[in-house]
Amino acid sequence: MAKQFDLTQRASELKARINAGHDEVDAAIDEIDRQLLRTDVPPLWSEFWPGTGTAGAIAAMERGFEIERQFAVDYHAADGGNQQALRMIQILLLPLILWLAVRSRRAPDDSEPSHVTRALRRPVSSWLLLAMLGVLVLEPDAPLLVQELALVLALTPVLRLLPSGTVRALGVWPYVAVALYIVDRLGVAVPADVGLYRLYTLGVSVLAMGLTVWLLRRAPADRATDESRLRTAVRRISWVVLAVLTVSVASNIGGNISLAETLTSGVIDSGYMALLLYAGVAAVRGILHALGRQPELAQRKLVRQHGPTLEVMATRLLVLAAWLGWLLYSADRFRVLRPLRAVGADVLDLGVDVERSRSTWATSWCSSCPPGWPCGWPARSVDCCATSCPTMRPCRGVSATASPR
């Protein structure tokens, strides 16, 4: 009994430390968000050389890294339900992919789509990519260090699992996106000096702009219809990327390093996440397609009658989930997700307050009526509105007044 009490107390203390670390990380993120529209350092033309930052900014950076490191240690020690579920999925997924890969090699089918053959010919890459995607999906509140590690481990599988048609259509675009992501992440190795980090961020922005312009100027060869559409969409997005990078360079030169870093990293991270989700959807489609072609499932009545329809529905759901995930991730990287959440919460709170005020007004009006007055019609009106609008619930007094006698 004493041991159980001690374990419970330790678990409570650990949970309190995790919540405290989460609050400190949120406070640090809020402080960074408030600095997006402020000038951090003098313009570049007035003080060009490194060392222009203050000791306070460097100390804040080191303090934030230490908080994040401690938060990662406590989060891993907590071993919550999401972590256990993720671990179970990762353990079961590997033998499933290996089993499908072995069976597909014993009975090869030349008519299989390219995304199927690529996912099963590279089972380790498929498992690693889906395992890292599972970290991002099942642990959205995980420390940034854990999420960044998952993204770094997925670099090679992303390039290995892109469908061949996508590689032909995009050419070197995926490799440029991955290379820029690596260069951007190498910024953590820059010494804790605002001036050096400013020059490094400016160099990354200029490099990204130069590579984007170089890729846009390359004459596209004749492609198939789907590949041509994909290339056209990427080219249109590239012009938007150039505009955002131009704003980033101007902000950096003007002295707003926070905004410049947010825009540059947001563009690079969004591009890499798009590749990661694209490769992940292709891998999942390949695994589901191969699983549905196994004799144990292919002979089922549901699969025989509705197999193609189920596959199309699964593909559309995967694509929709990938689009939503990319939008949420991009909004978070550009620092607009938290403000949107705050605005949404304020709107919901306002709706609850208005509903409560209406119900209170109707109840007060009816209770203040003299005996014999027709007090039921306003209460019935409120009750009718509540019936037609599920988000509105009348209070008990209004319902009692409006109910038939």
Side-chain angles (χ1 to χ4, degrees), residues 103-283:
R103 298 197 69 170
S104 65
R105 291 177 181 176
R106 290 179 180 176
D109 188 0
D110 297 335
S111 63
E112 294 286 350
S114 60
H115 61 271
V116 176
T117 57
R118 188 173 291 259
L120 297 182
R121 286 177 183 174
R122 296 164 180 176
V124 177
S125 296
S126 300
W127 174 79
L128 184 58
L129 175 62
L130 297 181
M132 296 304 101
L133 276 176
V135 173
L136 301 177
V137 173
L138 294 180
E139 298 188 29
D141 295 330
L144 294 177
L145 291 178
V146 176
Q147 297 180 358
E148 291 295 336
L149 180 61
L151 292 173
V152 170
L153 291 177
L155 283 171
T156 302
V158 166
L159 295 178
R160 287 173 58 85
L161 294 176
L162 285 176
S164 57
T166 303
V167 176
R168 288 194 306 268
L170 299 181
V172 297
W173 278 98
Y175 301 96
V176 169
V178 171
L180 287 175
Y181 180 81
I182 295 175
V183 171
D184 185 59
R185 287 303 178 269
L186 290 177
V188 298
V190 178
D193 183 87
V194 177
L196 288 176
Y197 186 74
R198 177 186 192 177
L199 294 179
Y200 186 84
T201 304
L202 180 61
V204 173
S205 302
V206 173
L207 176 63
M209 290 182 64
L211 290 174
T212 304
V213 172
W214 173 67
L215 291 173
L216 285 173
R217 289 176 61 88
R218 295 186 63 187
D222 294 333
R223 306 291 183 185
T225 303
D226 294 339
E227 297 176 3
S228 178
R229 292 176 181 174
L230 180 59
R231 178 180 289 273
T232 302
V234 171
R235 288 177 64 87
R236 292 176 179 175
I237 295 175
S238 300
W239 289 108
V240 179
V241 168
L242 276 179
V244 176
L245 291 175
T246 302
V247 176
S248 174
V249 171
S251 301
N252 195 314
I253 295 175
N256 193 341
I257 303 178
S258 301
L259 181 60
E261 189 274 337
T262 298
L263 294 178
T264 301
S265 296
V267 167
I268 294 175
D269 294 350
S270 298
Y272 174 63
M273 179 56 65
L275 286 177
L276 190 148
L277 292 175
Y278 196 98
V281 169

Side-chain angles (χ1 to χ4, degrees), residues 67-113:
I67 292 173
E68 185 65 22
R69 187 194 67 81
Q70 186 61 42
F71 180 34
V73 173
D74 294 339
Y75 184 85
H76 179 72
D79 197 21
N82 287 355
Q83 293 173 282
Q84 296 176 4
L86 174 63
R87 193 179 303 115
M88 184 63 62
I89 292 175
Q90 291 174 343
I91 293 175
L92 296 178
L93 189 61
L94 181 58
L96 174 63
I97 296 177
L98 292 176
W99 176 67
L100 292 174
V102 171
R103 298 197 69 170
S104 65
R105 291 177 181 176
R106 290 179 180 176
D109 188 0
D110 297 335
S111 63
E112 294 286 350

